[in-house]
Structure formats: structure tokens, C-alpha cells
Amino acid sequence: MQLFGWKSGQPDASLEEGKGEASAESDGSWGGSWFAKAQEDPWMPSLTRTQRVMGFIMCLCAGGFCFSVAAMLIPILILRARKFAVLYSMGSMFIVGSFAFLWGPYSLLKHLASPSVLPYSGLYAANMAATLYCGMSLHSTILTIIFAGLQIFSLLYFVLSYIPGGTAGFMFMGRMAGKAASTAVSAVM
């Protein structure tokens, strides 16, 4: 059984025994492979599909809330660089953590530490640490903004690469926006 690009020597026990929601589609052809792989995760094996999706949505909402509050601090960033850095990084961690509910935390960390992904996840972690260090220790507003910007680009890459069709959809929307902008510019000139 090959799920999510991983090979497993033994099929998932819940699929064989007919337990839970994954029993109806044991081949994973409907997109249930993320759930079957998450069930094999040793750190959170007993969560149901509904609990995983709810945890995913709650972490996304918490991340959005932290980003929103951090965005409200942008006008007074010079005075509140610490709060901005902490809220911004917390929002970023919530969004990455949301994928731990879908994949399972052990599986996600194992994947992020794999040699093919490690440079990108390492860059993301370094940007987050630099944002916190510049905001909390150095009290440097300019460096905090620079590393926060790098952190958001790293986060966007992470999110777009783990959402099915995310990169292709992003590229499509970029092409559409480019065409619209070129049409608007040519109409003005």
C-alpha cells in the first residue's frame, strides 16, 4: 500500500477490520489517503476524520486571528515590535500546526525533516526564529519587518505546496491577474 508517497509494509488495521470512516474506501482512491496515513501516526492515532478536520480548521482560524491582530499592530510597529513578532510567529505556527492534524504530527515532522524538504523547512524555521529574535531581543523594527516578510513567503510556499492544486491554482490566479493588469494598462494607453 502506497499512501502519500510513503510505502507501508502493513495495511492500516482500521481499514482491514472495517472500523471508522476509512473502511469504505480502503484503496485511498477518493483522496482518503491522508486520513489513512494520519491514522498510522503514533502521536495522535485515535482521532477521527471529523476531529482532524475540526482541528485543522480551528488551527487555521487561530492562525488567521493572530495574523489579523498582528496586522492591526503594523501602524504602531515601531512601538510594538515585540508583540507583532510574537503574534505573527504564533499565527505562522498555528497554520503549520493545522497540517499536523491532517497528516499527524509525527508524519509531518518526519516529512519536514526529509532531505528533499529540509532546506525549505529549515529556511522557514530560521525566518521564524530571526523574526522573534529581531523583535524581542534586538528591538529592531526594520529587521523584524524584513524577516516577517521572508517568513510569510516561506509560509505561503508551505501552504501552497501542501494543498492539493495549491501551486497550480496560485499560478493560474497569477496568470489571470497578469492578463487583467495588461488589459487594463493597454486600455489606458
Side-chain angles (χ1 to χ4, degrees), residues 24-164:
E25 294 87 2
S26 62
D27 64 347
S29 61
W30 56 279
S33 62
W34 66 267
F35 181 68
K37 185 61 187 169
Q39 288 294 93
E40 297 172 5
D41 191 272
W43 292 351
M44 290 190 327
S46 63
L47 292 180
T48 66
R49 179 187 312 255
T50 304
Q51 289 171 331
R52 289 184 185 279
V53 170
M54 291 301 293
F56 173 74
I57 291 170
M58 288 173 51
C59 279
L60 281 180
C61 290
F65 175 76
C66 288
F67 279 138
S68 298
V69 174
M72 286 185 228
L73 293 174
I74 288 176
I76 56 170
L77 186 59
I78 296 171
L79 302 173
R80 303 282 186 230
R82 279 187 197 177
K83 289 181 183 179
F84 174 81
V86 170
L87 284 168
Y88 194 80
S89 296
M90 280 179 52
S92 188
M93 286 188 280
F94 272 123
I95 289 180
V96 171
S98 68
F99 287 94
F101 277 98
L102 293 183
W103 282 34
Y106 180 78
S107 298
L108 180 65
L109 289 175
K110 185 177 173 183
H111 176 71
L112 291 176
S114 68
S116 63
V117 182
L118 189 59
Y120 302 109
S121 56
L123 181 66
Y124 171 73
N127 286 333
M128 186 182 313
T131 302
L132 289 171
Y133 178 72
C134 292
M136 297 182 72
S137 295
L138 296 180
H139 303 285
S140 172
T141 303
I142 294 171
L143 290 176
T144 301
I145 292 171
I146 290 170
F147 284 113
L150 291 173
Q151 184 180 342
I152 196 68
F153 283 123
S154 301
L155 181 66
L156 282 174
Y157 177 79
F158 175 83
V159 169
L160 291 176
S161 66
Y162 287 99
I163 293 176

Side-chain angles (χ1 to χ4, degrees), residues 169-182:
F170 184 70
M171 297 301 281
F172 174 74
M173 295 301 271
R175 284 193 304 269
M176 294 299 286
K179 286 180 185 178
S182 66

